[in-house]
Amino acid sequence: MKRKTSLHPPQNGAQKRHKPTEVESSESDVELDNDVSIASDEEEDLFDRETPDEARLRLARRYLDTIKPPHSEVEEKESLDHDVIAHRLQQDVLESTGRMFRKVATSLSAVHASNANVRALRGHKLSPTCVALTEDESTAYSGGKDCCVIKWDIETGHKVVFAGARKQPEKGGHFEQVLCVAVSSDGRYVASGGRDKLVRIWDARTHTLVDSFRGHKDGVTGLAFQPGVHQLYSTSMDRAVKIWNVDERAYVDSLFGHQSDITAVDVLTKERIVTSSRDRSVRIWKVTEDTQLLFKGHQQSIDCVKAVHQEHFVTGSQDGSIGLWHVTKKRPLCIVDSAHAAGSTANWISSVGVLKHTDLVATGSCDGSLRLWHADLQNKSLAAIASVPVVGWINGIEFAKSGRFAVLAVGQEHRFGRWVRVAEARNGLCLVNLNLEHAMQ
């Protein structure tokens, strides 16, 4: 006898449960990976009760688990990121303390340097004597024998001339030749000095005179701001170094020791400066300790000095030589004679420049070229790399911190006199593209 099968559900509301059987997949169902298998009857029962949306979510999670890197790979990536950050922080600390040193000179080939693009900026009526560059490399400042201080936009060449005119003090600026210029680390203040015996402080944003510091008894020849603060050092033909607080508009102290005109000044470390003089000596001043160290090695007046970093510096002399020095050695590590020789004539070294915290040094004279040197501190040597054609007296050299370019103050005359005049030279600034950004990374 055949059993009748009801076509209606049970009246008590309870649904009859069937054991799942094999079900053929349709096109609308989610396809499972061939390698995935059901482990137990409990999982089968669980999968049977889940909705299509839950099934899609489960399969998506399983797929993500298959492409997620192993835990060891994640840890390795996190470790690499940590190493990169630690390396960068270490570099920042070394740079802030002046101990970072990069070797970039060897990446500048002679062919590359000799073919470097040189762009001229015109504005001074007489020879420029000095140049300074802001930290962000966007603006340069120059001073000249025309008693002018000029602000230059590096990209556009646009210039702003500060107040000043020869023998006209009522103009509110310099009324004698400007011999030196400096800009603070934050770009807020510009300082200039000259034969009128005054240190002028300018607001870089408004281009107005903020104050004039009096105290030197002869022409002001060198200026340098302490990095990170508004403490200013000035040197003079009166053989004195003076310290000023620009924020307070106040005189701080005077340092004495040189026996003749001081020609230049640069900052070595936070409380140490280095100066050069016509007495053929270089002195390092420990400002807080009120002591000084004496260095000798050139045969004639030392007209320029620049710090390489906190332990080394370079000099240029009227005897035609350049020197590399260490702060613990009284004599130079090396001397290069006739660095800018023209035949048998040893031309004066009128300027030196350093790409700070690197082994790249530049020197200028009147022989028609900017000379680039490799300062090998380990082997205690200065080796010529290349030269860039530049006509005229190179009276100032400043490198962009990134290594992109160098800016030169170029004129017909030496910044301190008119001994040799280069008539074919054009008074102004020259921008020399070096493109060393990759080497500075």
Side-chain angles (χ1 to χ4, degrees):
M1 182 177 179
K2 295 182 180 181
R3 179 179 296 180
K4 295 182 179 180
T5 303
S6 175
L7 299 178
H8 302 283
Q11 298 298 319
N12 59 3
Q15 296 183 357
K16 186 175 181 180
R17 186 176 181 185
H18 300 276
K19 183 176 180 180
T21 58
E22 292 184 7
V23 179
E24 294 182 1
S25 298
S26 65
E27 293 181 358
S28 61
D29 292 333
V30 179
E31 293 184 7
L32 298 178
D33 190 271
N34 293 333
D35 294 334
V36 179
S37 60
I38 306 301
S40 65
D41 290 342
E42 293 181 0
E43 283 188 319
E44 290 181 0
D45 192 48
L46 179 64
F47 295 161
D48 186 63
R49 291 198 304 269
E50 68 182 359
T51 65
D53 288 339
E54 291 174 339
R56 293 188 184 93
L57 180 60
R58 172 175 56 81
L59 294 174
R61 287 174 175 170
R62 179 173 293 178
Y63 174 71
L64 290 176
D65 287 340
T66 62
I67 65 173
K68 184 178 180 180
H71 186 62
S72 59
E73 293 183 15
V74 175
E75 286 184 343
E76 182 179 357
K77 184 176 184 301
E78 291 177 351
S79 176
L80 289 174
D81 291 341
H82 181 270
D83 291 342
V84 170
I85 295 172
H87 177 68
R88 182 59 188 169
L89 289 174
Q90 185 181 26
Q91 283 189 323
D92 291 342
V93 170
L94 291 175
E95 287 182 356
S96 63
T97 57
R99 291 179 292 168
M100 171 64 73
F101 192 79
R102 295 183 175 92
K103 297 181 179 180
V104 303
T106 54
S107 64
L108 188 65
S109 66
V111 175
H112 171 77
S114 61
N115 294 325
N117 179 39
V118 179
R119 181 162 64 101
L121 301 177
R122 307 300 180 202
H124 284 284
K125 297 178 181 179
L126 298 176
S127 294
T129 58
C130 51
V131 64
L133 190 63
T134 56
E135 288 280 332
D136 62 7
E137 306 174 7
S138 65
T139 308
Y141 296 90
S142 63
K145 292 186 176 183
D146 52 6
C147 309
C148 290
V149 174
I150 299 181
K151 176 182 179 180
W152 306 82
D153 185 292
I154 293 296
E155 296 299 326
T156 66
H158 176 73
K159 62 181 182 292
V160 177
V161 181
F162 291 7
R166 183 172 176 80
K167 299 186 182 300
Q168 298 183 46
E170 66 275 7
K171 294 287 187 178
H174 288 285
F175 51 89
E176 293 290 348
Q177 297 177 1
V178 179
L179 298 177
C180 51
V181 66
V183 60
S184 59
S185 298
D186 58 4
R188 180 179 177 184
Y189 293 115
V190 178
S192 59
R195 293 189 182 274
D196 55 11
K197 310 174 187 178
L198 298 173
V199 176
R200 304 277 190 178
I201 305 298
W202 307 84
D203 188 313
R205 295 165 294 185
T206 63
H207 315 136
T208 56
L209 184 66
V210 174
D211 206 343
S212 296
F213 295 157
R214 292 171 170 81
H216 283 295
K217 298 178 182 179
D218 208 335
V220 180
T221 57
L223 291 166
F225 274 99
Q226 183 73 50
V229 295
H230 295 148
Q231 180 162 293
L232 178 68
Y233 302 98
S234 65
T235 58
S236 171
M237 296 175 182
D238 64 6
R239 300 177 291 179
V241 180
K242 291 190 181 295
I243 307 171
W244 313 87
N245 186 320
V246 177
D247 288 328
E248 301 294 332
R249 314 285 194 267
Y251 161 78
V252 177
D253 199 3
S254 291
L255 308 174
F256 299 95
H258 280 293
Q259 303 303 307
S260 187
D261 302 5
I262 304 176
T263 55
V265 60
D266 199 13
V267 177
L268 276 173
T269 60
K270 185 176 181 180
E271 295 295 344
R272 290 191 181 190
I273 60 173
V274 57
T275 58
S276 60
S277 171
R278 286 182 176 168
D279 63 8
R280 299 179 294 177
S281 74
V282 174
R283 293 176 189 256
I284 291 180
W285 308 81
K286 300 179 181 180
V287 177
T288 55
E289 301 172 19
D290 197 21
T291 60
Q292 56 186 277
L293 302 174
L294 177 64
F295 302 81
K296 286 192 174 184
H298 290 288
Q299 302 303 311
Q300 295 184 29
S301 170
I302 304 174
D303 285 352
C304 41
V305 62
K306 281 288 185 179
V308 176
H309 60 86
Q310 63 180 0
E311 294 183 350
H312 291 83
F313 57 93
V314 292
T315 54
S317 171
Q318 288 185 11
D319 62 13
S321 66
I322 57 176
L324 175 65
W325 308 71
H326 191 277
V327 296
T328 61
K329 306 292 184 181
K330 298 296 183 179
R331 307 293 292 183
L333 299 179
C334 79
I335 287 282
V336 178
D337 294 318
S338 302
H340 282 256
S344 60
T345 303
N347 293 305
W348 292 3
I349 307 301
S350 54
S351 58
V352 294
V354 174
L355 182 53
K356 287 293 180 70
H357 309 301
T358 75
D359 57 355
L360 182 60
V361 174
T363 58
S365 184
C366 63
D367 65 333
S369 63
L370 172 74
R371 304 287 178 104
L372 301 173
W373 306 82
H374 174 209
D376 189 339
L377 305 185
Q378 184 174 2
N379 294 319
K380 304 176 183 179
S381 65
L382 283 168
I385 302 174
S387 64
V388 180
V390 178
V391 178
W393 280 99
I394 302 176
N395 289 321
I397 304 171
E398 287 292 332
F399 281 96
K401 187 177 180 181
S402 66
R404 287 194 304 130
F405 62 89
V407 57
L408 319 177
V410 181
Q412 295 179 339
E413 300 171 355
H414 190 280
R415 72 186 188 110
F416 286 138
R418 304 181 64 182
W419 300 284
V420 177
R421 190 171 186 272
V422 183
E424 60 271 24
R426 301 290 298 275
N427 297 320
L429 299 188
C430 286
L431 300 180
V432 181
N433 289 327
L434 299 174
N435 301 318
L436 290 173
E437 303 95 316
H438 62 285
M440 295 294 290
Q441 298 300 320

